């Protein structure tokens, strides 16, 4: 028993079993004794009553007590064995027994007086001594109690041994998962996030162990994410920075002309970098849950139609038809800036990944409980293998990575984080070669005064 917790559990179990045997032993002992005493006193009183009746009979038969103290010997000795003497109403001894004579020196305060009543009149008092029967019974009682006590002692020893074995086994069973969790927590604190607690019991301790495992999973996930993020940011910064650097060096060395075209292409790279920094800032805010939303009632139908009108020329430039379909006006309490960002990212993806001649449709609809905004395109679609990951940070499909127009893989991450921060959900359906549909759902339309965040 090296572990203090096993020792403690064992000790507690042993103490509890010892204590309960001891308490129940004492209790049995006490109540048996009481019953015995009650029984004895009932027997004694019954016998005394019999004697008192006989004495009353004697009184009546003789028309009173003898004038002088007289020895009572009427062959009824068995009944009279405990009777010492009888006094009349004035306290003078009128009758005495052989026992009374033999034990003349008995202290009167050790005798038990019982009144002899005839009709309503007390005609005398009978004095009884201790019953010899009582002695016998008391001896039996003592013997009985001794046997009980011996059995109690024996059961304490036997139960003690059993509870010791049970306590050790049980204590180990109870302490093992605690020790395992302790080891895992210490390993985690040292940075080893691969250890897990195994063979967990199906109780609160097991749940605690599972929580610890989940914590390790999350920490591992965050660690991986952080490593990936740093690597991705470094990678995404390197290419545009290298381009800018080589171009600027070329211009300084007069190898590359500082023409408007060249400067504009450099400006594009700088803008792309600014975009990346902005996206990273947005994600950092989401991580710290410090979005500063300005919640206000928004007429979604109007909001979307204005936005789409603004975007239509850009889509038309690429030969895309951008269309807005609405089933009617919908009020939503939300943050305009965030909704703008969400729609901007979704529409910019639809624009990027749909070939000229394609169709992009934004549909606004609602049920009594939900508002749906759908962005559907007839673009390149997303393969089934990529679909589960597209909302992850820096995730880009191979198709998009090979394109020049591809972003940094942060757009959908930001969309998802903003939608969720506003209390909504986002889902996607896509078929490669046919197109993709992103659906945002906000619950509780604010026409009833609620807002989704
Ligand atoms: P990016 O900035 O690279 O577009 P996103 O996070 O917005 O990053 O999207 C992640 C990936 O999901 C993209 O690289 C692209 O492969 C895919 N994707 C997103 N939207 C669409 C779409 N409408 N059609 C096809 N593929 C899409």
């Amino acid at each position: 028993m090296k572990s203090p917790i096993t020792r403690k559990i064992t000790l507690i179990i042993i103490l509890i079993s010892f204590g309960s045997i001891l308490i129940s032993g004492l209790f049995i002992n006490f109540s048996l004794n009481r019953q015995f005493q009650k029984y004895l006193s009932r027997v004694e009183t019954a016998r005394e009553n019999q004697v008192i009746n006989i004495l009353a009979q004697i009184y009546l038969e003789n028309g009173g007590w003898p004038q002088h103290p007289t020895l009572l010997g009427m062959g009824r000795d068995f009944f009279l064995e405990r009777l010492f003497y009888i006094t009349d109403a004035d306290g003078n001894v009128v009758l005495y027994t052989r026992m009374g004579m033999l034990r003349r020196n008995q202290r009167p305060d050790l005798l038990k007086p019982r009144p002899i009543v005839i009709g309503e009149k007390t005609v005398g008092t009978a004095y009884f001594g201790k019953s010899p029967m009582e002695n016998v019974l008391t001896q039996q009682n003592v013997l009985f109690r001794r046997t009980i006590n011996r059995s109690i002692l024996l059961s304490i020893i036997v139960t003690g041994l059993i509870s010791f074995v049970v306590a050790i086994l049980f204590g180990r069973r109870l302490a093992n998962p605690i020790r395992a969790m302790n080891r895992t927590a210490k390993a985690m604190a040292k940075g080893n996030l691969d250890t897990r607690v195994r063979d967990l019991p199906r109780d609160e301790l097991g749940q605690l162990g599972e929580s610890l495992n989940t914590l390790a999973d999350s920490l591992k996930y965050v660690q991986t994410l952080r490593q990936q993020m740093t690597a991705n940011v470094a990678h995404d910064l390197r290419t545009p920075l290298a381009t800018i650097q080589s171009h600027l060096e070329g211009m300084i060395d007069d190898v590359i002309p500082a023409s408007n075209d060249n400067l504009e292409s450099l400006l594009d790279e700088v803008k792309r970098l600014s975009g990346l920094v902005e996206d990273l800032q947005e994600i950092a805010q989401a991580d710290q849950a410090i979005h500063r939303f300005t919640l206000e009632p928004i007429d979604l139908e109007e909001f979307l139609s204005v936005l789409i009108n603004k975007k239509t020329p850009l889509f038309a430039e690429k030969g895309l038809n951008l269309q807005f379909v609405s089933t009617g006006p919908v009020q939503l309490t939300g943050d305009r800036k965030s909704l703008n960002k969400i729609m901007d990212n979704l529409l910019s993806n639809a624009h990027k990944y749909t070939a000229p001649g394609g169709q992009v449709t934004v549909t606004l609809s609602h049920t009594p409980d939900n508002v749906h905004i759908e962005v559907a395109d007839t673009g390149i679609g997303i393969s089934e293998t990529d679909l589960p990951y597209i909302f992850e940070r820096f995730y880009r499909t191979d198709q998009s990575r090979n394109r020049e127009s591809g972003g940094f893989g942060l757009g959908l991450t930001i969309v998802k984080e903003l939608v969720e921060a506003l209390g909504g959900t986002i889902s996607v359906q896509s078929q490669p070669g046919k197109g993709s549909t992103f659906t945002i759902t906000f619950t509780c339309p604010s026409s009833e005064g609620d807002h989704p965040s």
Side-chain angles (χ1 to χ4, degrees), residues 5-18:
I5 190 138
T6 319
R7 210 178 307 142
K8 266 186 208 161
I9 293 168
T10 311
L11 202 70
I12 288 171
I13 293 176
I14 292 175
L15 279 180
I16 290 175
S17 31
F18 271 15

Side-chain angles (χ1 to χ4, degrees), residues 279 345-354 375-377 379-383 386 389-401 405-415 428 430 435-438:
D279 284 355
N345 284 5
L346 289 178
L347 286 172
S348 125
N349 280 350
H351 180 269
K352 256 190 283 185
Y353 303 113
T354 310
V375 180
D377 63 50
I380 58 170
I382 304 158
S383 73
D386 288 320
Y389 307 107
I390 54 163
F391 292 105
E392 284 186 11
R393 295 171 185 198
F394 291 104
Y395 191 84
R396 280 172 285 188
T397 63
D398 285 341
Q399 273 164 308
S400 115
R401 209 167 282 144
S405 56
F408 295 106
L410 291 174
L412 286 180
T413 312
I414 292 169
V415 167
V428 59
S430 188
S436 319
T437 304
F438 289 84

Side-chain angles (χ1 to χ4, degrees), residues 65-347:
W65 300 120
Q67 292 302 314
H68 304 289
T70 311
L71 177 69
L72 188 70
M74 288 160 35
R76 287 160 169 165
D77 289 22
F78 176 72
F79 285 109
L80 304 178
E81 63 192 356
R82 286 178 49 231
L83 183 65
F84 272 53
Y85 52 84
I86 297 119
T87 57
D88 61 14
D90 299 326
N92 306 312
V93 175
V94 284
L95 284 170
Y96 57 90
T97 59
R98 213 168 279 143
M99 171 91 79
M101 200 166 66
L102 287 173
R103 302 211 196 149
R104 223 170 289 136
N105 299 328
Q106 179 82 16
R107 276 167 54 196
D109 58 320
L110 290 181
L111 294 176
K112 185 173 162 195
R114 293 273 319 259
I116 304 164
V117 183
I118 297 174
E120 298 220 321
K121 195 175 158 211
T122 306
V123 297
T125 310
Y127 286 85
F128 291 91
K130 259 192 164 186
S131 153
M133 188 69 176
E134 187 187 344
N135 285 333
V136 175
L137 287 174
T138 314
Q139 274 169 16
Q140 276 183 2
N141 187 12
V142 170
L143 208 73
F144 183 63
R145 276 165 62 188
R146 208 174 283 157
T147 319
I148 291 253
N149 285 344
R150 217 171 285 150
S151 318
I152 290 171
L153 195 73
L154 194 73
S155 55
I156 285 186
I157 295 169
V158 173
T159 327
L161 284 175
I162 294 173
S163 57
F164 185 70
V165 174
V166 170
I168 289 181
L169 294 178
F170 184 70
R172 263 203 205 132
R173 246 181 84 99
L174 212 66
N176 277 350
I178 299 178
R179 286 213 301 272
M181 279 187 257
N182 194 14
R183 273 198 304 273
T184 308
K186 277 184 182 159
M188 277 165 66
K190 278 185 189 154
N192 179 0
L193 297 178
D194 292 318
T195 49
R196 297 287 181 277
V197 201
R198 309 252 170 252
D199 302 326
L200 287 166
R202 257 186 252 142
D203 53 17
E204 282 87 346
L205 272 182
Q207 284 169 14
L208 181 64
E210 267 160 30
S211 307
L212 198 66
N213 286 347
T214 315
L215 179 68
D217 286 342
S218 326
L219 284 175
K220 177 93 191 154
Y221 177 69
V222 170
Q223 193 187 50
T224 318
L225 209 68
R226 204 188 57 220
Q227 287 163 349
Q228 271 176 6
M229 184 131 170
T230 320
N232 283 327
V233 171
H235 177 264
D236 280 333
L237 286 174
R238 193 179 303 127
T239 323
L241 279 177
T243 314
I244 295 169
Q245 189 179 346
S246 62
H247 274 68
L248 287 176
E249 281 169 357
M251 284 177 191
I252 291 167
D253 295 343
D254 281 336
V255 185
I256 299 173
S259 65
N260 263 1
D261 277 358
N262 284 339
L263 285 173
E264 253 166 41
S265 99
L266 280 184
L267 186 63
D268 281 346
E269 288 299 333
V270 172
K271 277 184 187 161
R272 240 169 78 80
L273 283 178
S274 302
L276 171 64
V277 172
E278 245 171 57
D279 284 355
L280 286 173
Q281 205 171 8
E282 193 86 42
I283 285 176
Q285 278 184 354
D287 280 346
Q288 295 168 42
I290 51 163
H291 284 296
R292 271 187 213 97
F293 291 140
T294 313
L295 295 178
E296 56 182 316
I298 298 170
D299 177 345
L300 269 186
E301 192 178 44
E302 193 204 334
F303 172 84
L304 289 174
S305 82
V306 170
L307 183 95
I308 282 152
N309 276 339
K310 224 191 296 175
K311 298 261 177 204
T312 307
L314 184 77
F315 278 69
E317 230 173 72
K318 196 183 167 182
L320 294 172
N321 182 28
L322 177 61
Q323 200 191 357
F324 176 48
V325 180
S326 167
T327 56
V330 181
Q331 282 273 321
L332 182 85
T333 303
D335 174 60
R336 264 174 204 280
K337 223 175 115 200
S338 303
L339 278 177
N340 237 320
K341 182 90 189 164
I342 293 167
M343 291 310 294
D344 221 55
N345 284 5
L346 289 178
L347 286 172

